[in-house]
Amino acid sequence: MKSIYYIQFFILICISTTLKGQVDSMGVKPIPVAADSVSVLDSVPRLRGVVAFSADTLEDLVDYSATDSIIFDNANHLIYLYGEASIKYQTYSITADFIRVNLDSSIALAEQLPDSLKKKDPLDELREEPAEAEPEEELPLTQEQLDSIYLDSLNGITPLDNKRLVNDVPKERNEDGRPFFDDGSTQFTAKRLRYNFKTRRGKVYDVLTEESNMFIHGSETKFVSAGQDTNAVDYVYSQDVILTTCNAEHPHYGIRSKKQKIIPNRQVIVGPSNLEIAGVPTPFIIPFGFFPIARGAKNGLIFPSDYEYSDQWGFGLRDIGYYFPLGEHFDLELLSDIYFNGSWGIKANSQYRKRYKYSGSINIGFSNRIGEVYNQELGALVKDPRKSFSINWSHTQDPRSRPNQTFSASVQMQTSGYDQLNYNDASRVLNNSYSSNIAFRKKFVGTPFAVSANVRHSQNTRTNEMQFTLPDINISMNRIFPFKSNKRRSPEPKWYEKISLQYTGKVLNRIKTQDTLLFSQPLFTNADFGVDHDLNSSASFNVLKYFNITPSVRYGESWYFKTVQRTFDPNIEIEYDTVYNADSSDFTEIPADTLSFGQVLRKTIHGFKPLRQYSASLSMSTTIFGSLGVGRKKGWFRGVRHVVKPTISFNFSPDYTVPSLGYVDYVQQDIRDPTEIAYSLFEGALFGSPSLSGRQMALSYAINNLFEAKVFSQKDTTEKKIKLFNSININGSHNFVSDSLKWSEINLSGSTQFFKGLSQLNFSMVYDPYDRDRTTMRRINKFYWDTEGKILRFDRAAVRISTGMTIDQIRKLFKGEEVGLQSRGGSRRGSSDQSQDNEEESLTDLFKDFRLSHDLVLMWTMQADGSKKLDIMTNSINTRGNIRLSPNWDISVGNIGYDLRSKRLTYPYLGFTRNLHCWEMGFNWAPQRGTYSFFIRVRQDPLSFIKIPYQRNNQDVRF
């Protein structure tokens, strides 16, 4: 059992001054107490008289405790604390095996006791209470007990009987008994410590200090504490110091310096130093150094993240720069890449955040890589500069800041293959598509109107094509019911009250260009600008309880500022062959082939041109339910449910090919055929072009099917529903006013899932009721029934199977567990079965983070001879993930893919890392690209710049 003594300093002062009969150095003047006045003394705080404090008196009370014993040396004014000793004064605390306090000088000495002094006294076993006895409850001392302790101390009796005193013992202490010091901002452990509570100065030997992931080992250290003075700072002066991030008792590495100054929470300043590994000095010498250990954002130098050597670029430093905190909510990081041959790069990274308002980050990079290429004309290597640019911006608004107004941004844009040029990892190299969207939306409260503005971007680095949409402004009016009355008496609305109205307006400007021309020509040269208005009205009525009838009308008007004009050029292009005489004295050119019988020229006409379109429709839909075997109570199969949602609609639109409208023109295609083909003046327009098929009066049909099955699970003894097909859709149309080919093609599509959703199947098929020309492969106005005796002709089909799963999901699938959920315990099995499962799980756990994906796309097309041709469009397998071989060994697979069509690997990227405690070793390899990198580096900041790299980048592969 532990006994904790709790006594305050002013009690000891009274004891000391009473024995001396005068005011001691602490400045307390006691009142003489008679021998028969013991009963009058109730408690220490009731001392009467005038108490004067000297200038040397401490500013606050000191709490101290010990679990073994506390000895008072009244003659020398010393206090000895044994066993988990602790002293607390204001914000300071000291814990150790042994602490000695000098009351005159206010100096505390803390040490670690030898192991021989910590052994338990054999007589203590006789003093221990029986095991069956309940532990004595630790209660605060009564007032009589405090008075007794006080009077005993006046008579020179030291309390060695281990009476319990309740006190708050500091939680932070070393289990081995070494002195531990904490002043709120500075903490360290030492073998021996001296501290003056008045001057707040101390000296420690063999000290260990931790500052912001940095461990500082010093043989002799002096420190000055600022205490509660907000205008002062702490200082620590050390000799023969090792600065490291290794938390081992004997660090595996460190920067050794003879002199060092530490300003806690700010920086470490060292003199001449050198790197030491496993106690062996290295030639790596630092004349002086500043190591930031500040908590929070501070200005400072950023050490390079990598050191490189390239045959093309030379020696270089990557990501060396400076950090700027720009206030409470913003910061800025400027980084640069510097190479000896003149290649360079610069990056600016900024993060910002304002609580309950917004957050985001922006990264801008520019790269100028100078390589060498062989010039055949000069017969020598010449400089080949390649400039690239990248910008990434992410912005998120807190929805609580402005509920009716939002702003967000997601920008990913680059030129000239910035990622592929500067990086080698699979995620960057294999990504060829980038897109951006900056969105603003505002809803006008109390009205049905809302406005949104977007700036979009998309690009493909393989084709170098870029497309910008700036701006894309939408003005929308939510659906309203203009004839709805709030004063009607009947709960059922009138038929005209169900009529709704909706409007959408759009302003669009689209630009197409190449990324190499982004900054070399005016951005708006090839811009397409337009305005679109769309107004529609509809209503929904329930007829005969099961049918929904929806009439609707639509009017659209688009404003364009560019139109297309096509003209026919009848010039014939002929290819000639040259025939030489036998003696090569002369030659003759004879026509060999006619390459062109005229060509159609396209010209852009600038000017305002509106396009007005209107249409009307009437649709009817219902839902039909069917079942088979539902209600069975035996067997695993309990029935099938079929849901059918048929829709029939009648659509009407006028003939936009009428010449008076000016929407369509005609042009000749071939000098041999004078027939003119219609084309739209709005070909390729932003909001579409009118139909060239004439007036539409069509009956459209669509049938949506859903199939579900009910099965009985013996494992859970419950019935479950599973989807056999998520959907099977059939649709087509019949145009009553068309002069030919009245029936459209019939489209059949559907989707389903296998293996509990891990695999997805999508299929589509097209059938045609008409036959086709065997030469041109075009539809002809003859039914397939009339020519071949069959109702429908197969035209084409496509099937796509996409599978993606992890090894852990595969394991759960074969064990019958829920895929994607953690398995639940609770079942009791034999030890042999449990052991076998543990072996299986230990093996699969190595690959549980591995993800396998397979993509298969098949396409069937009908040939001229009536046969079906199968094309495998895509057939590839990919895997990626991590393998933890042991707590210290990891293997990473960035990407391994195999294209079964081309029979080749698709950019494998492999790597491994080895945890070396405070160091880390790693290797990355991209065999298809011919790049690799090997490194040994310090794991943790701020010394992570200590690194030994060896690598080969993509720019050196060809040499």
Side-chain angles (χ1 to χ4, degrees):
M1 295 184 297
K2 294 184 178 180
S3 299
I4 303 177
Y5 291 89
Y6 174 79
I7 304 178
Q8 299 175 333
F9 249 119
F10 68 88
I11 300 179
L12 299 175
I13 296 169
C14 294
I15 298 173
S16 174
T17 53
T18 301
L19 292 176
K20 293 194 297 183
Q22 58 183 4
V23 178
D24 68 354
S25 60
M26 302 298 286
V28 179
K29 183 178 181 179
I31 298 177
V33 180
D36 58 352
S37 63
V38 175
S39 60
V40 179
L41 180 62
D42 293 336
S43 62
V44 175
R46 294 187 180 182
L47 291 176
R48 296 179 177 85
V50 178
V51 180
F53 295 92
S54 70
D56 296 334
T57 305
L58 294 176
E59 299 175 356
D60 206 344
L61 302 181
V62 178
D63 297 340
Y64 59 96
S65 62
T67 59
D68 188 287
S69 60
I70 298 178
I71 300 176
F72 303 109
D73 185 351
N74 295 323
N76 298 316
H77 294 190
L78 298 176
I79 304 177
Y80 299 90
L81 294 85
Y82 292 91
E84 298 185 14
S86 171
I87 293 180
K88 295 178 63 178
Y89 173 67
Q90 292 183 347
T91 60
Y92 310 98
S93 66
I94 300 175
T95 60
D97 275 346
F98 166 75
I99 298 178
R100 185 189 69 189
V101 181
N102 190 318
L103 300 179
D104 293 334
S105 61
S106 300
I107 295 177
L109 172 66
E111 290 182 326
Q112 180 185 20
L113 293 177
D115 293 339
S116 59
L117 300 181
K118 298 180 185 180
K119 292 182 179 179
K120 189 175 181 180
D121 188 350
L123 296 179
D124 290 344
E125 297 180 359
L126 301 178
R127 302 189 188 103
E128 290 183 354
E129 297 177 358
E132 62 273 7
E134 296 183 359
E136 185 178 346
E137 184 179 4
E138 295 187 0
L139 298 174
L141 293 180
T142 64
Q143 192 62 50
E144 290 77 8
Q145 290 174 325
L146 288 173
D147 294 343
S148 176
I149 294 174
Y150 175 72
L151 294 175
D152 288 344
S153 63
L154 292 178
N155 296 324
I157 302 174
T158 55
L160 298 178
D161 53 351
N162 284 338
K163 295 182 179 179
R164 288 187 189 87
L165 297 172
V166 177
N167 186 25
D168 293 330
V169 180
K171 296 181 180 179
E172 295 290 345
R173 66 170 71 247
N174 292 309
E175 295 181 357
D176 57 1
R178 289 181 298 170
F180 177 80
F181 176 84
D182 183 7
D183 69 348
S185 60
T186 303
Q187 296 179 349
F188 53 79
T189 302
K191 288 187 177 179
R192 191 165 180 265
L193 180 149
R194 290 171 57 90
Y195 184 72
N196 191 317
F197 287 94
K198 290 182 179 179
T199 63
R200 298 188 180 93
R201 296 173 182 266
K203 192 172 184 178
V204 292
Y205 304 90
D206 295 331
V207 64
L208 172 61
T209 307
E210 182 178 359
E211 294 283 350
S212 301
N213 296 330
M214 296 275 286
F215 296 93
I216 304 169
H217 298 257
S219 60
E220 184 175 338
T221 301
K222 297 179 181 179
F223 63 94
V224 180
S225 178
Q228 297 179 343
D229 188 358
T230 58
N231 297 322
V233 295
D234 297 344
Y235 293 97
V236 179
Y237 302 91
S238 303
Q239 291 182 356
D240 194 15
V241 174
I242 294 181
L243 186 70
T244 181
T245 58
C246 180
N247 60 358
E249 182 177 358
H250 300 286
H252 301 138
Y253 84 100
I255 297 177
R256 182 178 290 277
S257 62
K258 294 298 181 182
K259 294 183 178 181
Q260 185 183 81
K261 179 180 179 180
I262 304 174
I263 304 177
N265 300 328
R266 293 191 180 182
Q267 62 183 350
V268 178
I269 306 171
V270 299
S273 312
N274 74 294
L275 178 64
E276 190 176 280
I277 299 178
V280 179
T282 66
F284 183 73
I285 299 175
I286 303 175
F288 61 91
F290 298 87
F291 300 94
I293 56 174
R295 298 177 182 175
K298 299 292 182 181
N299 292 343
L301 178 69
I302 300 176
F303 285 93
S305 63
D306 207 350
Y307 315 96
E308 295 182 344
Y309 172 76
S310 167
D311 295 334
Q312 287 278 293
W313 299 343
F315 288 98
L317 302 177
R318 185 183 285 264
D319 293 338
I320 182 173
Y322 204 82
Y323 177 80
F324 304 89
L326 303 180
E328 183 181 357
H329 307 294
F330 296 84
D331 68 354
L332 176 63
E333 186 180 62
L334 294 180
L335 303 174
S336 61
D337 302 336
I338 305 173
Y339 296 89
F340 280 17
N341 79 329
S343 297
W344 57 276
I346 187 170
K347 288 177 283 187
N349 305 325
S350 178
Q351 294 184 349
Y352 55 90
R353 177 182 179 85
K354 191 171 184 180
R355 184 175 295 181
Y356 308 125
K357 293 293 185 180
Y358 52 79
S359 63
S361 63
I362 182 169
N363 306 300
I364 302 175
F366 181 81
S367 171
N368 182 24
R369 301 300 195 224
I370 301 176
E372 293 181 340
V373 295
Y374 183 78
N375 189 305
Q376 295 182 354
E377 297 180 357
L378 300 177
L381 294 174
V382 296
K383 298 292 184 180
D384 179 30
R386 296 184 61 184
K387 298 180 180 180
S388 57
F389 173 79
S390 171
I391 179 171
N392 293 272
W393 179 29
S394 175
H395 179 89
T396 304
Q397 176 184 311
D398 194 312
R400 293 170 292 186
S401 60
R402 292 186 176 181
N404 299 314
Q405 179 176 312
T406 59
F407 177 79
S408 63
S410 176
V411 177
Q412 290 183 327
M413 185 178 69
Q414 59 179 251
T415 63
S416 304
Y418 180 89
D419 282 349
Q420 288 80 1
L421 179 63
N422 294 278
Y423 302 96
N424 291 318
D425 56 286
S427 60
R428 295 176 185 262
V429 173
L430 299 179
N431 187 16
N432 297 314
S433 300
Y434 300 89
S435 60
S436 307
N437 185 28
I438 303 175
F440 170 82
R441 178 176 174 81
K442 181 176 178 59
K443 182 180 179 181
F444 298 94
V445 181
T447 70
F449 293 96
V451 61
S452 64
N454 295 269
V455 176
R456 296 188 178 91
H457 146 266
S458 62
Q459 71 175 115
N460 189 303
T461 57
R462 188 182 297 274
T463 61
N464 296 331
E465 293 181 354
M466 300 185 73
Q467 180 174 292
F468 295 91
T469 303
L470 59 149
D472 180 2
I473 302 176
N474 290 270
I475 302 174
S476 60
M477 181 186 72
N478 293 335
R479 190 177 300 277
I480 62 173
F481 298 86
F483 304 106
K484 186 176 181 179
S485 175
N486 296 327
K487 299 180 180 180
R488 66 171 184 268
R489 298 179 179 178
S490 174
E492 184 67 23
K494 302 292 184 180
W495 66 269
Y496 56 83
E497 292 182 319
K498 297 181 180 181
I499 299 175
S500 64
L501 189 66
Q502 188 176 18
Y503 167 80
T504 302
K506 178 177 288 189
V507 179
L508 192 63
N509 185 60
R510 182 175 297 165
I511 303 168
K512 293 183 178 180
T513 185
Q514 298 284 319
D515 60 0
T516 55
L517 304 175
L518 183 61
F519 300 104
S520 61
Q521 68 174 7
L523 194 61
F524 291 90
T525 301
N526 300 321
D528 292 328
F529 181 75
V531 181
D532 183 65
H533 306 273
D534 187 274
L535 182 66
N536 67 79
S537 178
S538 63
S540 180
F541 305 98
N542 185 270
V543 179
L544 300 178
K545 190 178 180 179
Y546 299 106
F547 298 94
N548 293 321
I549 296 180
T550 304
S552 64
V553 293
R554 174 189 174 274
Y555 173 79
E557 182 170 332
S558 303
W559 299 343
Y560 295 113
F561 299 87
K562 284 183 181 181
T563 54
V564 175
Q565 184 182 50
R566 294 184 178 274
T567 58
F568 178 68
D569 183 6
N571 291 331
I572 301 176
E573 185 179 353
I574 301 176
E575 181 182 13
Y576 292 90
D577 285 345
T578 302
V579 180
Y580 290 89
N581 295 333
D583 57 358
S584 301
S585 60
D586 199 0
F587 63 90
T588 304
E589 290 186 349
I590 61 174
D593 193 10
T594 302
L595 301 180
S596 174
F597 293 94
Q599 60 179 340
V600 178
L601 303 179
R602 189 179 187 273
K603 182 180 179 181
T604 301
I605 305 299
H606 294 272
F608 177 74
K609 183 71 174 178
L611 170 62
R612 300 179 179 90
Q613 301 179 85
Y614 59 91
S615 61
S617 66
L618 179 66
S619 64
M620 182 179 65
S621 63
T622 188
T623 302
I624 303 173
F625 298 91
S627 60
L628 176 64
V630 176
R632 296 182 57 184
K633 299 299 182 181
K634 295 183 179 180
W636 64 272
F637 177 72
R638 298 297 172 89
V640 175
R641 186 189 185 196
H642 181 200
V643 181
V644 185
K645 296 181 179 180
T647 301
I648 300 176
S649 60
F650 180 80
N651 305 289
F652 169 79
S653 63
D655 185 3
Y656 295 108
T657 62
V658 178
S660 59
L661 296 176
Y663 297 160
V664 177
D665 203 352
Y666 298 85
V667 63
Q668 185 179 349
Q669 302 284 331
D670 196 318
I671 194 174
R672 298 169 298 177
D673 185 4
T675 304
E676 292 185 338
I677 306 299
Y679 73 94
S680 173
L681 274 63
F682 305 98
E683 188 177 85
L686 293 173
F687 308 110
S689 58
S691 174
L692 301 179
S693 58
R695 186 174 59 168
Q696 296 287 326
M697 190 177 294
L699 179 67
S700 302
Y701 58 90
I703 305 174
N704 186 9
N705 299 268
L706 173 65
F707 292 90
E708 293 179 331
K710 183 180 291 186
V711 296
F712 179 77
S713 175
Q714 295 182 353
K715 181 179 180 180
D716 300 332
T717 64
T718 57
E719 293 182 350
K720 296 182 178 180
K721 290 183 179 180
I722 59 174
K723 289 185 178 181
L724 302 178
F725 286 94
N726 296 335
S727 64
I728 297 180
N729 302 317
I730 304 173
N731 60 76
S733 64
H734 176 77
N735 190 359
F736 293 97
V737 297
S738 177
D739 56 354
S740 61
L741 303 175
K742 295 179 180 293
W743 291 94
S744 70
E745 295 177 335
I746 300 175
N747 299 284
L748 174 64
S749 63
S751 65
T752 187
Q753 295 179 343
F754 301 101
F755 309 117
K756 298 183 179 181
L758 299 180
S759 185
Q760 179 81 23
L761 170 66
N762 296 278
F763 65 90
S764 64
M765 293 181 284
V766 178
Y767 290 87
D768 198 338
Y770 295 100
D771 201 354
R772 63 177 177 177
D773 190 294
R774 297 295 187 270
T775 304
T776 62
M777 303 299 291
R778 293 181 178 178
R779 302 174 74 198
I780 59 177
N781 194 28
K782 291 183 179 179
F783 285 105
Y784 197 57
W785 174 265
D786 298 333
T787 57
E788 298 293 336
K790 298 180 180 179
I791 299 177
L792 298 175
R793 174 181 58 84
F794 173 81
D795 188 75
R796 58 189 181 275
V799 174
R800 178 170 185 172
I801 303 175
S802 300
T803 304
M805 63 185 72
T806 63
I807 300 298
D808 189 53
Q809 289 175 328
I810 297 176
R811 178 181 63 84
K812 291 181 178 181
L813 181 67
F814 281 100
K815 295 182 69 173
E817 300 176 358
E818 289 293 332
V819 176
L821 300 177
Q822 296 293 335
S823 59
R824 299 180 180 179
S827 59
R828 298 184 179 180
R829 292 173 291 180
S831 59
S832 60
D833 295 339
Q834 187 69 33
S835 175
Q836 183 178 1
D837 287 348
N838 291 336
E839 292 179 0
E840 294 176 356
E841 291 184 1
S842 62
L843 179 61
T844 56
D845 283 346
L846 291 176
F847 302 90
K848 68 177 182 179
D849 294 330
F850 252 69
R851 182 169 184 83
L852 303 175
S853 60
H854 175 248
D855 196 12
L856 176 63
V857 178
L858 306 175
M859 182 171 290
W860 289 266
T861 55
M862 183 64 70
Q863 302 299 303
D865 57 358
S867 62
K868 298 181 181 66
K869 179 184 178 182
L870 172 62
D871 292 320
I872 302 177
M873 310 302 296
T874 302
N875 190 9
S876 61
I877 301 175
N878 290 276
T879 181
R880 62 182 61 196
N882 299 316
I883 304 175
R884 168 147 287 195
L885 298 178
S886 70
N888 296 324
W889 279 98
D890 289 286
I891 296 178
S892 62
V893 179
N895 180 78
I896 290 184
Y898 187 77
D899 192 335
L900 298 174
R901 291 181 64 245
S902 58
K903 297 181 180 180
R904 63 182 181 88
L905 291 174
T906 57
Y907 199 82
Y909 188 80
L910 308 173
F912 76 84
T913 57
R914 173 67 165 91
N915 183 358
L916 302 174
H917 189 255
C918 51
W919 289 75
E920 182 181 45
M921 178 179 65
F923 178 76
N924 297 306
W925 179 40
Q928 192 178 49
R929 209 178 193 201
T931 62
Y932 58 83
S933 67
F934 174 80
F935 61 86
I936 299 178
R937 64 189 177 195
V938 175
R939 295 180 59 192
Q940 292 184 334
D941 291 331
L943 298 181
S944 60
F945 67 90
I946 301 177
K947 178 179 180 180
I948 304 174
Y950 182 77
Q951 59 192 355
R952 185 188 191 189
N953 287 327
N954 59 304
Q955 71 276 1
D956 300 319
V957 172
R958 51 185 173 177
F959 288 91

